[in-house]
Amino acid sequence: MDTQDDVLINNRVMLVHFDSYSTALVFAKWNDTLLLPAALPASAELTSAPDELAAAHDGDAVKAAVIERLGLNPAEVVRAGDFNHWVSTETGPVRVHLLRFTTFEAPKAALEPHGGVFRPISALRGGAPVELLLAREVFNLIVGAGGGKG
């Protein structure tokens, strides 16, 4: 059986919370990255999906690994299946997955023990360019689609 680290080595995850009432979208952030388990290398670039999708990029396995790692309630997290973004790195392709909290408010207390905080897109300036592009894609998907999608 794969460990969390095995599952996450070729994957990254963005965690967000969207409040459809106020249309507030916030991104989970750890130090200088929006991605779990770690930032991408500086040389990473957005790319298209590889011709052959390997089991190493299974979204449900990635979701389960993140839930286990952070001790989250699985009933409060959904995977956005329509968020399908890939980056190329020197060690091979990495898939970026989007998980969205379904709680009434962003679960700040769930991320604090892991060094995570929630930030709006306007507070992400100065981040890694590829992460900012991915955040814009998330914004367009959730808010641009009228909210609540994902």
Side-chain angles (χ1 to χ4, degrees):
M1 181 171 170
D2 289 337
T3 67
Q4 291 173 22
D5 292 335
D6 292 338
V7 171
L8 295 174
I9 196 165
N10 295 317
N11 297 279
R12 296 295 186 276
V13 176
M14 294 183 84
L15 287 163
V16 299
H17 180 271
F18 179 71
D19 178 357
S20 59
Y21 182 75
S22 68
T23 66
L25 175 66
V26 289
F27 294 80
K29 186 173 181 182
W30 289 266
N31 297 318
D32 294 331
T33 186
L34 299 174
L35 301 172
L36 271 180
L40 293 163
S43 61
E45 295 180 353
L46 290 177
T47 189
S48 56
D51 290 336
E52 295 181 20
L53 298 178
H57 299 289
D58 177 63
D60 291 329
V62 170
K63 176 184 169 187
V66 169
I67 286 171
E68 183 180 341
R69 176 175 280 204
L70 299 179
L72 303 175
N73 179 346
E76 297 177 344
V77 180
V78 295
R79 185 175 64 86
D82 51 354
F83 185 82
N84 189 26
H85 292 279
W86 293 80
V87 293
S88 62
T89 70
E90 295 164 355
T91 59
V94 173
R95 183 174 180 189
V96 180
H97 303 264
L98 176 62
L99 299 180
R100 183 176 57 84
F101 288 101
T102 59
T103 53
F104 179 69
E105 294 181 337
K108 297 172 186 174
L111 298 188
E112 285 175 356
H114 307 282
V117 296
F118 284 98
R119 296 287 183 251
I121 197 166
S122 61
L124 303 179
R125 290 183 186 102
V130 71
E131 289 188 19
L132 295 176
L133 287 171
L134 290 166
R136 176 52 69 183
E137 291 295 324
V138 171
F139 183 89
N140 290 339
L141 177 68
I142 294 176
V143 177
K149 189 175 179 188

